[in-house]
Amino acid sequence: MDIQPVLQQIPAAGAEALEAIRIQYLGQNGTLTAQMKELGKLDAETRKARGAELNVLKTELAAAISTRKEQLETEALNAKLANEAIDVTLPADPTYGGRIHPITAAMEDIAAALRSLGFTHAYGPEVETDDYNFTKLNLPEHHPARQDQDTFYLNPFNDEGSRYLLRTQTSNVQVRTLEGVKPPFRVMGIGRVYRRDYDLTHTPQFHQVEGMMVDSGTTFAHMRGVLSEFLRLYFGKPLKTRMRPHYFPFTEPSAEMDVECHMCRGAGCRVCKQTGWLEVLGCGMVHRNVLAVGGLDVSEVQGFAFGAGVERLAMLKYGISDLRLFYESHSAFLRQFGKPPVSAA
Ligand code: DAH
């Protein structure tokens, strides 16, 4: 059997052709294998000589195939390495460090402004009862103003028969404070509140800041002074303020406060919808029924309270028009408005 022609083919064979050659000669039904099987039929003398001859052919052929196979594998590996080579001289993708979320930053700025005006932190739970979220704030059952705040009710009732809910306002902090702290005090409550609402300007969970000051001789003028100063500190510049009469069940008299648009200084722009004013908070003198929760009498102490939306204050400060951006975790948005964290040093 002449294997010379096939031995000449092997050095140029590709992987598939090589495998075909192996099967053709050395496979189970290959020609060389078949001839080996025939050996048994020969007489001893011839078998020995023929066997030796076939063995040489087989070894020669197997060695040529294996050499070519190794060669092909090396070529494939080299091609792959060349293909996947990393160019270490290319510029790297920028890396961004963590940032304080604009809502957290706004809450920190609000707290810092109020702290400098003598307010300390007070707390109220997010899972609250009807009593603390409404009734004790002079919003008895069936009060129409309850419907302004689409409430998430939770099923169980507490021992006094008051229903659990997710607080719709941080004003529960007022009640909790009046029950536990003796005047004079100045407190702020900053945290999450919940309402069944979802559109461009409402999310079902958002944040509010509540403030309350109670002392003897506290007047509406104190309120106006403290709130104007608070807004000046928060926006970081002196700004005109104005008050408009309003209604809140827990304050009497009540007002809403506007601040001169810090973007256009009152000239009218996109942020203030051309009015020159931005509505920023609700406030008023604490209602006698609310003071009574703390066993207090208006003839002895008076107080004022205020409440504002943190998202709104953040949107106004940074000129952001869609509330939902705060909650969608787009890193490009957060990089733009978030503050770098203060180093621990
Ligand atoms: N709780 C009110 C709200 O969620 C905001 C508010 C208004 C709070 C007047 C006050 C206040 O303390 O005096 O709309």
Side-chain angles (χ1 to χ4, degrees):
M1 177 177 185
D2 184 9
I3 62 162
Q4 280 318 307
V6 71
L7 282 178
Q8 273 166 21
Q9 270 175 38
I10 287 175
E16 267 175 43
L18 193 65
E19 179 62 5
I21 291 171
R22 189 190 65 78
I23 292 168
Q24 192 191 338
Y25 289 89
L26 304 174
Q28 254 175 0
N29 304 313
T31 25
L32 256 180
T33 318
Q35 290 191 25
M36 303 280 251
K37 281 182 195 158
E38 296 290 307
L39 287 177
K41 294 181 190 159
L42 302 174
D43 62 83
E45 198 75 348
T46 335
R47 186 189 322 145
K48 205 172 162 200
R50 180 82 178 127
E53 192 188 323
L54 286 176
N55 256 333
V56 169
L57 293 179
K58 189 181 165 187
T59 314
E60 220 177 323
L61 194 57
I65 290 175
S66 134
T67 307
R68 178 60 183 153
K69 200 171 169 200
E70 266 170 41
Q71 223 175 32
L72 285 171
E73 278 168 5
T74 312
E75 274 170 24
L77 181 66
N78 285 341
K80 197 171 170 207
L81 287 176
N83 235 347
E84 292 175 3
I86 295 167
D87 182 352
V88 291
T89 63
L90 285 174
D93 284 342
T95 52
Y96 299 102
R99 300 210 132 215
I100 304 287
H101 191 280
I103 294 297
T104 309
M107 291 198 286
E108 285 175 359
D109 291 348
I110 290 166
L114 288 173
R115 203 179 305 125
S116 73
L117 294 167
F119 287 75
T120 54
H121 285 282
Y123 299 92
E126 288 173 34
V127 174
E128 188 50 288
T129 61
D130 202 283
D131 243 10
Y132 283 83
N133 191 76
F134 290 128
T135 314
K136 290 181 171 179
L137 283 159
N138 200 31
L139 270 146
E141 218 184 321
H142 307 305
H143 192 292
R146 281 191 178 209
Q147 277 152 25
D148 297 344
Q149 307 188 355
D150 268 333
T151 310
F152 285 110
Y153 282 101
L154 305 170
N155 270 331
F157 288 74
N158 73 359
D159 294 344
E160 282 90 52
S162 180
R163 199 170 176 189
Y164 283 108
L165 46 76
L166 295 180
R167 69 173 175 184
T168 59
Q169 50 186 358
T170 43
S171 304
N172 66 333
V173 173
Q174 290 191 34
V175 184
R176 301 258 163 205
T177 304
L178 282 166
E179 284 188 348
V181 185
K182 287 229 163 315
F185 59 73
R186 270 174 255 181
V187 292
M188 56 175 142
I190 306 178
R192 294 178 214 271
V193 298
Y194 304 83
R195 293 187 197 179
R196 298 168 46 143
D197 244 339
Y198 189 55
D199 60 32
L200 214 68
T201 51
H202 297 91
T203 46
Q205 179 249 282
F206 57 106
H207 300 80
Q208 281 189 338
V209 51
E210 192 84 11
M212 188 186 207
M213 168 172 174
V214 177
D215 201 342
S216 53
T218 308
T219 69
F220 203 92
H222 292 128
M223 175 171 83
R224 170 127 203 196
V226 166
L227 293 181
S228 299
E229 188 61 8
F230 160 60
L231 293 171
R232 185 187 72 79
L233 289 167
Y234 173 73
F235 285 105
K237 45 186 128 170
L239 292 166
K240 282 190 208 133
T241 56
R242 72 174 183 188
M243 278 178 162
R244 288 173 287 101
H246 201 76
Y247 171 77
F248 294 107
F250 25 86
T251 43
E252 181 60 35
S254 304
E256 272 187 342
M257 193 154 183
D258 297 341
V259 64
E260 174 193 13
C261 178
H262 69 105
M263 291 284 193
C264 63
R265 288 282 173 152
C269 71
R270 185 183 60 86
V271 172
C272 61
K273 300 202 181 86
Q274 311 305 328
T275 63
W277 293 101
L278 301 168
E279 180 203 316
V280 283
L281 53 83
C283 58
M285 301 307 290
V286 182
H287 196 286
R288 58 171 66 230
N289 292 353
V290 178
L291 283 177
V293 167
L296 304 174
D297 193 299
V298 271
S299 62
E300 286 157 19
V301 288
Q302 304 77 36
F304 66 80
F306 59 94
V310 173
E311 279 77 357
R312 179 161 174 77
L313 284 173
M315 285 167 87
L316 295 176
K317 187 162 175 174
Y318 302 120
I320 297 163
S321 53
D322 186 344
L323 177 67
R324 290 173 294 195
L325 284 169
F326 286 131
Y327 298 108
E328 286 173 351
S329 304
H330 294 313
S331 57
F333 168 78
L334 295 172
R335 258 199 312 279
Q336 201 180 339
F337 293 105
K339 275 198 200 170
V342 180
S343 80

